[in-house]
Amino acid sequence: MGKTGELDGLRITVLVEDSVLYESPYLAQHGVSFFLEGTKGSNTRRILVDVGQNSQALLNNMRLMHISPATIDAIVLTHCHYDHTQGVVSMLKEMGKGDIPVIAHSDIFRLNFLTDPCIEHVGVMQTDSEEEIKKTGASLFLTKDPVMLMPGITTTGEVKRQTDFEGVGIGLKTIENGKVKDDSMLDDISVIANVKGKGLVIVTGCSHAGIVNIARHAIKLTSCEKIEAIIGGLHLVGAPDGRIKRTVDALSKLNPAWMCAGHCTGFEAQVELYLVFAERFSPLHTGMQFEI
Ligand SMILES: [Fe+2]
Ligand SMILES: [Fe+2]
């Protein structure tokens, strides 16, 4: 069964992603948001993973998909970036119920910025600050540790960097004790579900920790070696020479039954994944739904 329990079933709906399918009625935006419905026996729990970069597209798509914000039991924020966290306060207000658990890494509210092409804060915006989230009545679970959301679904917690070919994927800075330093995005967490008879389903935001590091961490955490699926952003856009090939090679050894990657994955990495995984790979789009 593994150390973190098993689900009987899992449905994942892509509420927001950078692209939509042909003739899709949904709105796309740069960012991701996933709706996970985990079932164990008669218990079904609904978890929102990230909120995209504003609640307009998210709420529009949820309305069209007949998913009510009031049904959400918990929110996971995979990392600080605005395209995953902006509008979480609006979403909490829309949910209209108090004391919703919001799970994130303990460093998520730090300053996180780019300096090229110009200084720009890309972390959690002031409108979604720790104080503003608490004002909605939500409970913030800020930790470096994995957090079990229900038996069979857990966050990764902070992911140990082990590979020598993976990195943050983007030149980010932070300020620590008054000093400007490179930001290694230690707040990057993912969600792992373990589905009975299938294996692990790994849902990522941007994979700033490196998707191979994340997958190996997931196997260690759950004691389950079989990966059913990897879904989300892999942040291989603009990756240096060799990283994409080494990543895809390592992923093929981890042998997920299928993969669906988009957002910050980048076209080159999507092509490489398709060349290796063939019909077991598909690009991620808003409105996709997976029954596992
Ligand atoms: Fe992102
Ligand atoms: Fe990101």
Side-chain angles (χ1 to χ4, degrees):
M1 179 192 282
K3 285 190 279 195
T4 52
E6 281 181 341
L7 297 174
D8 294 330
L10 174 68
R11 179 159 60 198
I12 300 178
T13 307
V14 185
L15 301 178
V16 165
E17 200 266 344
D18 299 45
S19 60
V20 288
L21 284 160
Y22 187 65
E23 293 190 335
S24 168
Y26 305 121
L27 294 176
Q29 67 175 205
H30 175 61
V32 290
S33 178
F34 300 99
F35 185 63
L36 273 54
E37 297 168 90
T39 299
K40 189 171 181 68
S42 58
N43 180 27
T44 296
R45 295 289 149 151
R46 297 166 183 89
I47 294 147
L48 186 67
V49 180
D50 288 346
V51 295
Q53 66 164 285
N54 64 54
S55 51
Q56 289 164 19
L58 180 57
L59 290 171
N60 173 77
N61 294 348
M62 287 176 80
R63 189 169 36 80
L64 292 175
M65 294 170 188
H66 307 291
I67 297 171
S68 165
T71 63
I72 295 167
D73 294 300
I75 298 178
V76 175
L77 299 175
T78 60
H79 62 295
C80 64
H81 288 154
Y82 71 95
D83 54 316
H84 299 256
T85 57
Q86 191 165 239
V88 67
V89 165
S90 313
M91 176 49 78
L92 284 163
K93 286 179 181 164
E94 199 67 36
M95 287 160 68
K97 50 184 185 183
D99 221 13
I100 294 291
V102 177
I103 297 102
H105 187 282
S106 40
D107 294 345
I108 194 167
F109 294 106
R110 76 199 181 286
L111 209 53
N112 180 263
F113 61 100
L114 294 165
T115 54
D116 184 5
C118 182
I119 189 160
E120 181 189 5
H121 180 226
V122 292
V124 178
M125 298 293 147
Q126 290 307 314
T127 45
D128 297 298
S129 66
E130 190 168 354
E131 294 70 30
E132 293 299 323
I133 290 176
K134 282 182 181 163
K135 272 192 217 163
T136 69
S139 291
L140 269 167
F141 290 58
L142 298 177
T143 176
K144 295 178 183 180
D145 290 337
V147 176
M148 191 187 281
L149 302 163
M150 67 185 291
I153 306 185
T154 181
T155 64
T156 55
E158 192 171 300
V159 173
K160 194 173 170 194
R161 271 61 165 173
Q162 298 181 73
T163 56
D164 61 2
F165 56 90
E166 297 187 290
V168 173
I170 180 169
L172 292 157
K173 306 254 181 225
T174 190
I175 296 180
E176 213 175 87
N177 301 321
K179 298 218 180 307
V180 176
K181 54 175 275 194
D182 291 340
D183 193 318
S184 51
M185 294 298 299
L186 292 177
D187 64 319
D188 184 74
I189 62 171
S190 298
V191 174
I192 313 163
N194 190 352
V195 183
K196 193 190 284 181
K198 297 276 187 176
L200 304 181
V201 178
I202 301 170
V203 180
T204 70
C206 277
S207 300
H208 291 296
I211 188 58
V212 179
N213 285 327
I214 294 167
R216 288 177 182 167
H217 178 95
I219 289 168
K220 187 158 185 232
L221 185 64
T222 59
S223 297
C224 175
E225 301 246 333
K226 163 104 176 48
I227 301 177
E228 170 67 12
I230 295 173
I231 302 168
L234 306 186
H235 217 296
L236 292 166
V237 62
D241 282 356
R243 178 175 170 187
I244 291 174
K245 277 205 180 309
R246 291 187 74 184
T247 300
V248 175
D249 185 47
L251 285 172
S252 74
K253 290 192 177 94
L254 288 163
N255 198 26
W258 54 277
M259 290 190 64
C260 192
H263 180 47
C264 50
T265 300
F267 179 68
E268 282 180 36
Q270 287 182 322
V271 169
E272 192 64 30
L273 284 162
Y274 181 67
L275 289 172
V276 171
F277 284 86
E279 72 285 348
R280 291 159 58 210
F281 171 77
S282 67
L284 189 69
H285 301 293
T286 309
M288 284 177 139
Q289 195 167 68
F290 312 99
E291 298 272 359
I292 300 146

